[in-house]
Amino acid sequence: MSDTEAQAGPVLAADGTPLKRSLARALRMQKLRALALIAPLLIFVLITFIAPITDMLLRSVKNEIVVDVLPETVAQLQSWDVDSTAPPSEAVFSAFYIDMVLAEEQKLHTRLGTRLNYEKTGLSSLFRKTGRRVGRFDTDVYTDQIVALDPAWKEPATWAAMMADKADRGALPLTARTWDRWADYLNSEGKDPAKTKVEDFLFTALYLDLAAGNAKSVADPRIAAAAAAAPGFETVDIRSQFAKADKDWLDPAVWQTIKIFSSRFTNGYFLNAVDLQKGPDGIEPRPESQQIYLMLFKRTLFMSLVITGSCILLGYPVAWILANLPSRTANLLMILVLLPFWTSLLVRTSAWKVMLQQQGVINDVLVWLGIVDDAHRLVMINNQFGTIVAMTHILLPFMILPLYSVMQTIPPSYLRAAKSLGATNWTAFWRVYFPQSVPGIGAGSILVFILAIGYYITPEIVGGTTGTFISNRIAYHISSSLNWGLGAALGSILLGVVLLLYWIYDKIVGIDNVKLG
Amino acid sequence: MAVTSSNDTFVEFERVQKSYDGETLVVKDLNLEIPKGEFLTMLGPSGSGKTTCLMMLAGFETATHGEIKLDGRPINNIPPHKRGIGMVFQNYALFPHMTVAENLAFPLEVRKMSKSEREAKVKRALDMVQMGDFGGRRPAQLSGGQQQRIALARALVFEPELVLMDEPLGALDKQLREHMQFEITRLAHELGITTVYVTHDQTEALTMSDRVAVFNDGRIQQIDPPDTLYESPKNSFVAQFIGENNTLEGVVKEISGDHALVQLDGGELIDCKPVNVNEVGQRTKVSIRPERVEVNKDRLQDGAHLLKAEVREFIYMGDVFRTRISVAGNDDFIIKSRNAPDQIRLKPGEQIEIGWLPQDCRALDA
């Protein structure tokens, strides 16, 4: 003892190494073995669950398509004032022309149109329509004038050689960028850019570079000649070409949308998911006719709470009886509680449809008994009532099981003790038994509530229009409207709400108070 | 046992029967009177019906037949919470979600007592069990002995006249148990409350009680003060169950008043006191306490019958010597002798002769 006390430094093991290090070494093998045991599941979950979900959720903020498809336009729009009441300048339209032709070649313009249509309706058809016409714009005027200077311009090989030259590329930046995108596309299609016909938009890009005066001092005589001739060229008003294709291109609102959603990441989906939108003046509420998600979120939360409440009311007495019966009988009854788990969810939900519909079992019985008039059969399905009934039934076991296992651990002697101390049956239950069963209620409620909030099949089948949940809307965006970004945003919010509620629950009740057995 | 009702009878069982399944009786025709202020212990092996009796008294089980009276009032139809009986449970049953003080205040609260009155009583009750500083703790933060004290305080805090205890010391270690035995008896006598105590530990029963009711097979076998119970068991079950006991089997040869001659199955003759044998030729179990067996012939009466025996084992136990001998075909015959300077230490294999005073040897039912 006196040895170790005399030492000021760390405690040493018998062989002189610090005790901490030798302990860590001794435990390392153990840790590695534990890790190896969980590794298969961990990898499986990572690959099949966490990675896809992360990717999906990231879609709620990703917005690369605009800047990827319209890089030149986005660059030119920098100088355009988003509040402007006039359409952008010719330079923007010229850049847009180049981007659109390239997009049309790759069939990307329809996808871009769909994306922008989420923000402003009508853009999808506008892009589609313009895509069909953009190839026939009068820009061949530039092609003809440049080829007239030197027929070699017509040869793709000329272009390929020029674009391989560093000096030339420096003199013609727009042409170089456009050529690269064009060449990348051709290469991906398995075509040789040096042998493919040089399209009008490349000549337009070349003209724009020349007209900008970038190529005055270039060494290449062919480019120098073209640069010298360019100021005298007949020009094409590309803006009016677009206006001819569709007059909507002169509407500044279209360009506002493009500019607002031109960044790589956007909060647009999230704003949309809470019934807001981005306008030129910042964030504003959506038109009332388009507001739906906040209402759906509120309905989902409200109905999940009602379902959780009904599960507590129905499940508590059942769990109490189960916990207080002799174990033989309790086990038998437990099978009845678990029975629904062995039946398909779809079958159970459909059974409720049979029971609750207007020509269904319950209505028939009520009419037969004369309680309900045949002409006024109760509407119990395809509304909130139907969803609450069916989901309460389906989620009930998730409430009973944790309640039962908690109640089983409460000895009956507590109730007896309370009664012997003078408490009535009710006081004994409420003051002594109930507080001890609260952890079970907590566990059951968390389970039921979290399951309910994300439920999809049952509201889809019995919910009608008033009984659907936010998850039904998510499913719609994922599988029908294909607006994955919005679906992901709605899903992220749902996940956030659940985590937030979990956190609040932890603060109020304490998560260590939750017992599953 | 007196069946006649006396004025100071506080608790009374009158021909009480109890059956759980309608086929067998757990309690058969129980008659019992407990005077006010008595500490009565119900002692018996498990399944003998003692706990059932306690639960019927507390109101958690209903009597199938018969009447239970408290202070002259039949209580069969009074629910437990109106009986005003304090109860200490085997596992204490302290409410885990309440502090010690809240546990103690609970019975006062349900009696709608004012807050100041409640606090005063809780404090007094805690001081009574020397746990004054523990009011703010939770039961889980207390040791077994401390929980036991709190359970006791809770059963006493509302000043019941009758307290029931269901094996309250079963979970404590030996030393603590002995200490608590003393504490409980002291409190019971100081407060003058009537106590019904259930246990299967006969030492506990003997040391604590004014009277002990020995239960077996749903009946009271004997109810007497501890010394009577120990020294004059009325039948062979009680003799076996209370304290250590040597049994020899035989047939009654002669019987005259306070003296009987019994021929053991091995042919030897011994002198006994007849207890519940009354005719010659009856089979009997003869019971002798180990500490009443005498090895030293000089201390015996003249003409006392002696038995030949062989020492099998000598066990030194500190305050006493325990010698196992083989006598009259019984290999488990025990002799206990005090560790005194002049005491003989027998060696295994030694041949000896043993005897006893006739009044210490009781001829009981077979």
Side-chain angles (χ1 to χ4, degrees), chain A residues 491-505:
Chain A
S492 304
I493 292 175
L494 194 58
L495 182 64
V497 168
V498 169
L499 292 179
L500 181 74
L501 289 172
Y502 191 78
W503 179 79
I504 292 172
Y505 184 91

Side-chain angles (χ1 to χ4, degrees), chain B residues 303-347:
Chain B
H305 283 94
L306 293 177
L307 294 175
K308 284 194 193 321
E310 188 188 338
V311 178
R312 294 277 175 189
E313 200 176 355
F314 176 82
I315 303 164
Y316 179 83
M317 294 178 74
D319 53 347
V320 291
F321 301 149
R322 207 176 135 91
T323 316
R324 189 165 66 83
I325 62 173
S326 173
V327 64
N330 183 348
D331 280 347
D332 286 320
F333 199 96
I334 304 292
I335 304 173
K336 256 190 210 167
S337 42
R338 198 165 58 87
N339 183 358
D342 61 337
Q343 192 61 262
I344 314 160
R345 298 191 184 193
L346 296 163
K347 288 173 200 66

Side-chain angles (χ1 to χ4, degrees), chain B residues 206 212 214 222 224-233 238 242 289:
Chain B
L206 294 180
V212 178
V214 180
Q222 185 173 356
D224 269 315
D227 51 346
T228 318
L229 202 66
Y230 185 80
E231 282 161 29
S232 325
V238 177
I242 306 283
R289 297 287 181 198

Side-chain angles (χ1 to χ4, degrees), chain A residues 311-320 323 397-410 433 437-445 515-516:
Chain A
C311 279
I312 295 174
L313 287 181
L314 293 176
Y316 198 95
V318 176
W320 195 83
F398 294 99
M399 180 64 79
I400 294 177
L401 290 177
L403 268 178
Y404 168 63
S405 57
V406 167
M407 285 178 178
Q408 255 191 329
T409 63
I410 306 174
Y433 194 88
S437 68
V438 162
I441 296 182
S445 298
K515 269 195 256 173
L516 287 170

Side-chain angles (χ1 to χ4, degrees), chain A residues 119-419:
Chain A
E119 313 301 340
K120 184 171 168 60
T121 42
L123 284 188
S124 179
S125 61
L126 180 63
F127 271 84
R128 209 173 297 258
K129 188 170 159 196
T130 312
R132 283 196 297 270
R133 303 210 176 158
V134 78
R136 300 199 298 272
F137 276 14
D138 295 339
T139 47
D140 52 342
V141 170
Y142 296 125
T143 314
D144 296 345
Q145 293 180 92
I146 293 171
V147 170
L149 290 175
D150 185 344
W153 280 117
K154 222 178 160 143
E155 300 304 323
T158 314
W159 284 78
M162 178 174 76
M163 284 302 138
D165 186 291
K166 216 169 176 185
D168 290 350
R169 286 179 67 94
L172 306 167
L174 175 63
T175 318
R177 289 199 299 271
T178 311
W179 173 264
D180 288 347
R181 287 164 70 195
W182 174 239
D184 280 349
Y185 163 66
L186 289 180
N187 284 329
S188 72
E189 292 283 296
K191 293 181 194 161
D192 185 358
K195 287 174 186 159
T196 312
K197 176 179 178 284
V198 183
E199 300 282 345
D200 290 343
F201 70 94
L202 285 165
F203 285 99
T204 310
L206 179 62
Y207 167 75
L208 289 171
D209 271 338
L210 297 173
N214 293 335
K216 290 254 166 66
S217 55
V218 81
D220 191 321
R222 195 185 300 121
I223 300 172
F233 278 2
E234 181 196 341
T235 56
V236 183
D237 184 359
I238 294 180
R239 174 154 59 171
S240 54
Q241 295 281 320
F242 272 106
K244 215 177 352 166
D246 194 315
K247 66 174 172 14
D248 280 353
W249 287 115
L250 294 181
D251 180 2
V254 170
W255 294 97
Q256 277 166 4
T257 310
I258 295 177
K259 175 155 182 166
I260 288 168
F261 291 95
S262 61
S263 57
R264 287 201 168 267
F265 293 97
T266 179
N267 54 6
Y269 292 121
F270 273 101
L271 292 175
N272 194 347
V274 291
D275 291 336
L276 297 173
Q277 66 182 8
K278 273 183 177 178
D281 309 323
I283 293 161
E284 58 188 38
R286 286 196 162 246
E288 217 145 283
S289 60
Q290 291 177 29
Q291 291 186 4
I292 169 172
Y293 299 113
L294 277 184
M295 186 271 285
L296 272 177
F297 272 117
K298 277 185 213 151
R299 182 199 285 167
T300 305
L301 287 179
F302 168 74
M303 284 177 66
S304 299
L305 280 176
V306 172
I307 289 162
T308 310
S310 349
C311 279
I312 295 174
L313 287 181
L314 293 176
Y316 198 95
V318 176
W320 195 83
I321 285 181
L322 283 176
N324 286 286
L325 280 176
S327 63
R328 256 183 69 92
T329 331
N331 283 341
L332 200 72
L333 287 178
M334 188 49 98
I335 290 177
L336 294 182
V337 171
L338 293 175
L339 204 62
F341 278 136
W342 306 336
T343 324
S344 152
L345 177 61
L346 216 55
V347 171
R348 275 179 285 156
T349 308
S350 307
W352 277 112
K353 215 165 169 115
V354 173
M355 293 290 287
L356 296 177
Q357 61 186 302
Q358 282 196 291
Q359 302 301 321
V361 179
I362 291 178
N363 263 316
D364 279 350
V365 170
L366 290 178
V367 168
W368 181 71
L369 289 173
I371 296 171
V372 169
D373 184 44
D374 198 15
H376 300 95
R377 284 171 176 252
L378 301 174
V379 184
M380 293 185 292
I381 200 122
N382 295 333
N383 56 14
Q384 296 200 358
F385 179 79
T387 309
I388 289 172
V389 168
M391 281 184 60
T392 301
H393 167 243
I394 285 161
L395 295 175
L396 201 52
F398 294 99
M399 180 64 79
I400 294 177
L401 290 177
L403 268 178
Y404 168 63
S405 57
V406 167
M407 285 178 178
Q408 255 191 329
T409 63
I410 306 174
S413 64
Y414 286 133
L415 273 182
R416 289 187 163 184
K419 284 184 209 164

